[in-house]
Amino acid sequence: MPAVEVIRRPVANPGTVAPSPTPTASVTPRPTPRPTAPSPAAPTPTAGPTVSVTPRPTPRPTPSPSAPMAPLAPSAPEPATASAPRPIPTPVAPRSTPSPTAAPAPVAPRPTPSPTAAPASVAPRPSMPPSRAPGAGGPPGARPGGFARPRTPRPPPTNEQILALAAKEHVPARIAKGELEGKMKCRIWRKLHAEEARRFDQVYALMGQNPGLSLADGFGVLQSGLTVAEFLARKERTQRKAAVKTARGEVDDSSISTFIQGLIETKTEMAMVLGERTVLDTVASVEPISFVLGRSGRQEKLQVVMMTRRSDWEQLMPHLERDPKLTQKPANVARQPDKRPFSDPRPFLAHQGQSVRLTLRNGIQLVMPLRVVGRFDLLLGEDGHEVFVPLHALVRFSAEDSLDDPGAEPGENS
């Protein structure tokens, strides 16, 4: 075997760069194996030279100081043989680690071109419009590019147009108005509200069969289960009742109340004429539907035909005119005010202070000046000789102007 010359290099300290080895022209060194860390159970070598190996430091991203890494223990050397020399590991130079105290190198700022120093050939970029909130829509008629198209405002629909479209599509007027204003279509509403659309179809079918029937009346017929004639008759009665209530509320009743209260306080004996008899008694109190007499007790107001002082009745009774037919069979009083011949007191207001002719339901005919008109009653005669007549007791009424006209028909309010 030829002689082998071994060149030993000095051990490099950590943080320094080891000098590069100078290769020998005559001998080519063998590849140097990398030392490996032995397992904890590996036995400690007892023979062979000790070789110091510097570990390769791991670079850290932060410059914070850290504890130095422990060097790796050398691996167990192979047993020496007589044929080949023991390979000697070559020390590896550690990488440079930044010092925790070293300041970072300054970096020169990037120059920002000034708008005035820009070349004439480069045009400035146009400013972008302010961004709109997510989901916010543009104005009506706006194009995708952001330019609004001018639109002429649509004129509001007329009532005739709304009703015509509602009758054509069988929908409520508000839905027809919405379609004319550019909102929900009538056909879409019918799909979303099938049950309600079916009822509208039934109502419009009834309106087609009865030309004078309104939409509200058609729904009333459908909900009540009555026929069209029965429903209209009931509606007319309801309207008359409401009209009577409104008419009575427009007349002051304080004068009649003062007259009755004076009779109660003075305990004047009165002659209360009923349909077929006369009751002589005093009035103790007044209730909503009856008089409370001193001796006879409660007397219903609907049975009273007229009432006056007993002395006045004795003078008036021999000179009274009577209708023979009504005297034999007095007329009945309807319980419903709208079915009575006279229930609205307003027509009598124009005849206050004039002489009037009244025919009562038991045939008595009175020709006296009309003094006071109340909500439910009339007061006739002179001051101190008043005659109290309820409106429900009237059968016929005529004013002073028609007394001399034999062909004039007696007045009556429906």
Side-chain angles (χ1 to χ4, degrees), residues 12-13 15-19 93-94 96:
N13 295 329
T16 60
V17 181
S96 60

Side-chain angles (χ1 to χ4, degrees), residues 35-326:
T36 58
S39 61
T44 305
T46 57
T50 302
V51 180
S52 176
V53 179
T54 303
R56 178 181 298 175
T58 304
R60 295 180 179 273
T62 57
S64 60
S66 60
M69 183 180 297
L72 298 177
S75 60
E78 298 179 0
T81 56
S83 59
R86 182 183 296 110
I88 299 175
T90 304
V92 181
R95 296 183 181 179
S96 60
T97 304
S99 175
T101 59
V107 180
R110 180 178 299 176
T112 304
S114 175
T116 56
S121 60
V122 179
R125 297 179 61 184
S127 59
M128 299 298 293
S131 59
R132 209 176 302 156
R143 297 182 180 179
F147 300 97
R149 178 188 303 172
R151 295 182 59 182
T152 304
R154 180 183 299 180
T158 61
N159 292 335
E160 292 75 9
Q161 294 175 345
I162 295 174
L163 296 179
L165 183 59
K168 176 183 177 183
E169 300 291 341
H170 293 183
V171 296
R174 57 183 178 84
I175 302 301
K177 180 180 179 182
E179 178 174 345
L180 293 175
E181 292 177 350
K183 300 177 183 178
M184 180 188 295
K185 300 289 185 181
C186 296
R187 56 183 180 82
I188 301 299
W189 181 87
R190 290 183 60 84
K191 291 181 180 179
L192 296 177
H193 305 81
E195 183 65 22
E196 192 171 357
R198 184 179 63 83
R199 291 197 296 269
F200 269 89
D201 292 339
Q202 296 175 355
V203 171
Y204 276 103
L206 286 175
M207 293 173 62
Q209 298 172 1
N210 303 272
L213 193 67
S214 64
L215 184 64
D217 293 343
F219 272 103
V221 172
L222 187 65
Q223 295 173 0
S224 63
L226 303 175
T227 62
V228 176
E230 294 173 349
F231 177 82
L232 293 179
R234 189 180 72 174
K235 178 184 176 182
E236 185 179 0
R237 291 194 303 268
T238 304
Q239 291 177 348
R240 286 201 303 265
K241 290 180 181 179
V244 169
K245 185 176 181 180
T246 303
R248 289 174 173 176
E250 296 178 359
V251 178
D252 185 16
D253 199 44
S254 59
S255 298
I256 301 293
S257 301
T258 302
F259 171 74
I260 299 296
Q261 190 65 28
L263 297 178
I264 296 174
E265 293 176 356
T266 57
K267 296 183 180 180
T268 305
E269 190 172 8
M270 305 294 293
M272 187 172 293
V273 180
L274 306 181
E276 296 177 351
R277 62 190 180 96
T278 302
V279 177
L280 301 177
D281 204 340
T282 59
V283 180
S285 62
V286 179
E287 295 181 355
I289 61 173
S290 62
F291 292 105
V292 179
L293 305 181
R295 296 183 298 270
S296 303
R298 184 177 287 100
Q299 180 65 48
E300 188 180 8
K301 289 183 179 180
L302 290 180
Q303 302 301 323
V304 177
V305 176
M306 60 175 290
M307 184 173 61
T308 185
R309 294 175 177 87
R310 179 176 181 178
S311 57
D312 296 335
W313 172 249
E314 293 176 353
Q315 297 177 6
L316 183 62
M317 183 176 59
H319 306 285
L320 289 177
E321 298 180 6
R322 297 177 182 267
D323 187 339
K325 186 180 296 185
L326 293 176

